[in-house]
Amino acid sequence: MKKQLNLICVLIFFFVGLSLVPSIYSMSNAFMDGFEVGMSQVEDVHGQETTNISAEILTPMTLSLWPKSLAVTSDKLFNHKDQEWYPASHIQTVVWAKSKDTVITRYASFLVLIGIFFIIKAIVQFYKLINAINHEVIFDWMNVRRLNRIGRNLLISFMLSQAYMITNYWEATRLFELEGYEHNFWCDFQPMTLIMGLIALLVGRIFAIGLQMKEEQELTI
């Protein structure tokens, strides 16, 4: 029984960690690329101080799009395999906007980092929960608190990530209007942490009800 439980837990840890890899990779990649490009642009600005004071530093910004018509394509892509152009539509793209116009989004991006921190806290609590169950401590108030902490941390992470998505969506709609496309918030909506957080709270509540019933029965006896 414990072997099956441990196997399931290992799989959960593996896939939760795997789910974080794209976010961490894209964020670190974007940070390094943005840093390098930003430094080169700053050098260009200093080099052009005497001739062009109005040089602008650019910041990458993600646009979540949806074509207004799937029957009509607004763009095309070149396929190097057969050397032909194909009609295409973009769902998500990155544009380089003026830094002075994306101040709110740049600061809001730190919310994603904070959200990852809360996910790590939830993973730590989950490890403690499984460790307690392995030591045959199952229906215990400490496990109820651990489940509640897991649920709260996941919900906080979800709210922080969605706050960033909403901020990015608001600034994107304010700054850009593209022919053949409309902005789409739901492409960025990721409810998995919300669902897992609610499930953790539900299981914690079930444990709490079971413990209360057990204590009432003991008092009755």
Side-chain angles (χ1 to χ4, degrees):
M1 204 65 149
K2 284 186 178 180
K3 289 182 179 179
Q4 293 176 349
L5 176 65
N6 289 332
L7 177 61
I8 293 171
C9 293
V10 167
L11 290 174
I12 291 173
F13 277 117
F14 175 76
F15 285 110
V16 168
L18 199 64
S19 68
L20 293 176
V21 169
S23 298
I24 296 173
Y25 175 77
S26 60
M27 288 177 64
S28 59
N29 231 11
F31 175 79
M32 293 302 299
D33 290 344
F35 180 79
E36 291 175 1
V37 174
M39 289 299 294
S40 65
Q41 289 177 350
V42 168
E43 291 174 0
D44 291 341
V45 170
H46 287 305
Q48 299 174 6
E49 279 180 345
T50 56
T51 57
N52 184 15
I53 308 295
S54 62
E56 288 283 357
I57 296 176
L58 302 178
T59 301
M61 185 176 187
T62 303
L63 301 183
S64 295
L65 306 170
W66 192 257
K68 292 181 178 178
S69 173
L70 294 175
V72 180
T73 55
S74 303
D75 298 291
K76 56 183 180 179
L77 295 175
F78 184 73
N79 185 4
H80 286 279
K81 289 187 177 293
D82 58 11
Q83 304 297 310
E84 290 186 10
W85 288 93
Y86 286 85
S89 295
H90 296 289
I91 301 299
Q92 196 170 61
T93 188
V94 176
V95 297
W96 289 81
K98 296 178 182 178
S99 292
K100 66 178 183 179
D101 295 330
T102 59
V103 175
I104 299 175
T105 299
R106 281 189 288 119
Y107 282 111
S109 62
F110 287 104
L111 295 176
V112 179
L113 289 174
I114 301 172
I116 292 175
F117 168 73
F118 277 100
I119 289 179
I120 294 172
K121 286 183 65 177
I123 292 173
V124 171
Q125 291 298 321
F126 180 72
Y127 172 79
K128 291 180 178 179
L129 173 67
I130 297 306
N131 188 49
I133 293 174
N134 269 321
H135 288 84
E136 298 183 356
V137 180
I138 302 174
F139 291 101
D140 184 78
W141 285 110
M142 181 57 72
N143 286 342
V144 173
R145 286 192 286 272
R146 286 171 181 148
L147 284 165
N148 289 335
R149 288 170 190 162
I150 292 171
R152 286 196 298 268
N153 286 327
L154 290 174
L155 291 179
I156 291 171
S157 174
F158 169 77
M159 289 187 289
L160 289 171
S161 63
Q162 291 308 305
Y164 167 71
M165 295 301 178
I166 291 171
T167 304
N168 187 79
Y169 173 78
W170 173 76
E171 282 215 325
T173 55
R174 183 176 62 87
L175 295 175
F176 296 97
E177 184 175 350
L178 306 179
E179 183 179 355
Y181 292 97
E182 57 186 15
H183 295 278
N184 189 348
F185 170 77
W186 298 108
C187 288
D188 289 327
F189 184 71
Q190 300 174 355
M192 187 53 65
T193 50
L194 171 64
I195 294 170
M196 290 192 300
L198 292 175
I199 290 174
L201 291 175
L202 175 63
V203 175
R205 188 59 188 159
I206 292 171
F207 271 46
I209 292 171
L211 283 168
Q212 287 174 351
M213 292 175 65
K214 180 182 176 182
E215 290 174 355
E216 289 174 359
Q217 287 176 354
E218 289 175 351
L219 288 173
T220 304
I221 295 172

